Amino acid sequence: MVVEAKNLVKKYKEMVAVNGIEFKVREKECFGFIGPNGAGKTTTMKMIYCFVPRTSGELQVLGKDPSVHPELVKADLGVIPQDNNLDEDLNVFTNLTMYANYFDIPKTIARKRTRELLDFVQLTEKEKVKINELSSGMKRRLMIARGLINDPKLLILDEPTVGLDPQARHLIWDRLHELKNQNVSMIITTHYMDEATELCDRIAVMDKGKIMVVGKPKDLIREQIGEEVVEVRLLDTTVDKLKQDSSGFQVTLEETSQKCYLYCRDCRPLLNHLADKGYKHILRRPATLEDVFLKLTGRDLVD
Amino acid sequence: MSIKVSYRWTKVWYRNYISFLKFFYVNLVGNLGDPILYLLAMGFGLGAFLGQIEGVSYIQFLAPGIIVSSAMFAAVYECTFESFLKMIHLKTYDAIIVTPVNIEDVVAGDIVWGATKAMLSGIMMFVVIAAFGLVHSWWSLFIPLLIFLVGFHFASLAMLITAWAPNFDYFSYFLELVITPLFFFSGIFFPLSQSPGWLKALSGVFPLTHAVELSRALVMGTVPLRPVTNILFLIIPSSGLFYWSVWRMKKRMIK
């Protein structure tokens, strides 16, 4: 096991950020945490990378207790936090060599590794450039290169692609897939459900400091939602009428103020039936992780 | 909460040193501008109206104290504004403490760096003063060690303030209520021997006063009146402040 948590709790004065969670991250696995803001994802990550001490419970990272041997644990971690905190006093190349020095990596190896990593994240031409001259996509890529400088056994990424354009996101996904193929274990948090589906082998859905479910994205979708969804906009119909019209089908129905969602295994007969009944604003699509997320954590705004 | 400083503080010191080299000339002007102005304005300007003080010209009296005060200001600046910037705004501390370097190492590295910069600043000031022909003894070769200790003391004190500071404004209070009074009442500008008893007693507990006494003796080649007391006052409060600031900073960063 790369990470093992039992009954893990974190309290900040009165506020309970993480409320007794249990999970395991296996070797060579990409494990994802998803959940609304304030769900406790980042706090969980911070406990893993020894930034925040736990209040109670058990936690083992790479076989060691972070509160007893933080230096040993951190030596084998690659951490990419939510905010880019590159060293703005140093240029791109020195950012990596200086970081290598924090890990006691000898100078010649550090320089070699820096060149390889800049090549890996496609920043070789930028090696002499100052940090504040980089675009946000480049900064994020450099953060990933920095997180890999010590050849970590476990890579921790807190929202790896937040605020990036699609090109930059896909480039980062490519790099992360390559790392997965090299059997690097990873833990990721993200607000992007497509990202979680794309990258994660297993996902934990968190809400209010608890883990609601854990599983493979496909399994979670099948267990929680089904195969498909029909969305009905409530423009020319009402919830009651829709309930009546769909009563002959095996569906679960969820309503919001503007829309109804009907979850089913194969929605085509239902869709045809509704179309025959004159429904115009209907859409049939495959169920996604976003449906799982919203079903489990609710549709109300959290903050 | 236990405090454990490892050899890794040197890595933080080294980071600051490399960053310092990039801004070497800016740093140079910033550190020397003020003390040279004081020396010229007070020493030559005001000094022209004054007779001899303790048997020497006013500028001669003033110069050894200015070496020490330039070191004090350099250390204070480094471990208030610079450290706060790295901690809160640039998140440099956050980036470093997820490596095997712990927060204690980061704080210790910043404090020793503050002392180093104080030493460099004091040495540059010393060279200027020597150029004015105001250095009279080979004992002054001990000046770098003395100002390193001064730097370490004020870097630790400043770091403690930084550990409490909610924002940059907080440092103005520290500078105006602590550092400036120390600057004026530690025997740099006038001899404390002729001051009222309460002031003499008060300034006797300021480590800066003891540093100024030692600096004057080293520059002039005279025998200090109370060398052991001077040295104890430079070392004991510093060690206490050092541990307190590292502890306090850890408490702030690790929640």
Side-chain angles (χ1 to χ4, degrees), chain A residues 10 12 49-53 68 70-72 74-75 77 79 81 83-91 94 98-99 101-105 107 146, chain B residues 4 6-8 10-12 14-16 18-19 22-23 82 86 89-103 105 253-255:
Chain A
K10 179 67 197 179
Y12 293 105
Y49 63 75
C50 316
F51 196 88
V52 156
V68 183
E71 304 90 354
L72 295 180
K74 288 188 289 180
L77 293 185
V79 180
D83 305 316
N84 293 334
N85 51 22
L86 296 160
D87 200 323
E88 295 188 26
D89 289 352
L90 311 173
N91 67 20
T94 322
M98 188 63 76
Y99 217 66
N101 187 37
Y102 299 142
F103 286 94
D104 278 324
I105 298 169
K107 258 195 178 135
R146 195 183 72 176
Chain B
K4 206 168 56 184
S6 78
Y7 72 96
R8 294 188 184 87
T10 54
K11 297 179 179 298
V12 179
Y14 179 71
R15 181 244 161 241
N16 290 336
I18 295 296
S19 147
K22 308 225 147 164
F23 304 100
E82 287 292 324
K86 282 184 275 184
H89 296 274
L90 300 176
K91 306 263 180 214
T92 316
Y93 284 11
D94 288 10
I96 299 176
I97 64 177
V98 299
T99 73
V101 180
N102 289 333
I103 182 66
D105 305 325
M253 294 291 292
I254 308 295
K255 282 185 184 130

Side-chain angles (χ1 to χ4, degrees), chain B residues 136-217:
Chain B
H136 302 285
S137 163
W138 287 104
W139 282 101
S140 55
L141 290 176
F142 283 99
I143 288 278
L145 176 64
L146 170 69
I147 47 188
F148 182 82
L149 291 177
V150 172
F152 188 79
H153 173 79
F154 282 100
S156 302
L157 176 65
M159 190 58 85
L160 182 61
I161 300 302
T162 302
W164 273 310
N167 50 46
F168 278 113
D169 299 334
Y170 195 79
F171 296 132
S172 324
Y173 296 115
F174 172 58
L175 287 173
E176 278 161 32
L177 298 176
V178 180
I179 297 301
T180 309
L182 285 178
F183 182 45
F184 284 116
F185 297 108
S186 295
I188 295 173
F189 292 101
F190 53 88
L192 291 161
S193 51
Q194 283 145 48
S195 309
W198 63 268
L199 181 56
K200 224 192 290 186
L202 184 65
S203 64
V205 303
F206 300 157
L208 190 63
T209 307
H210 295 275
V212 171
E213 283 179 18
L214 282 180
S215 176
R216 203 161 272 143

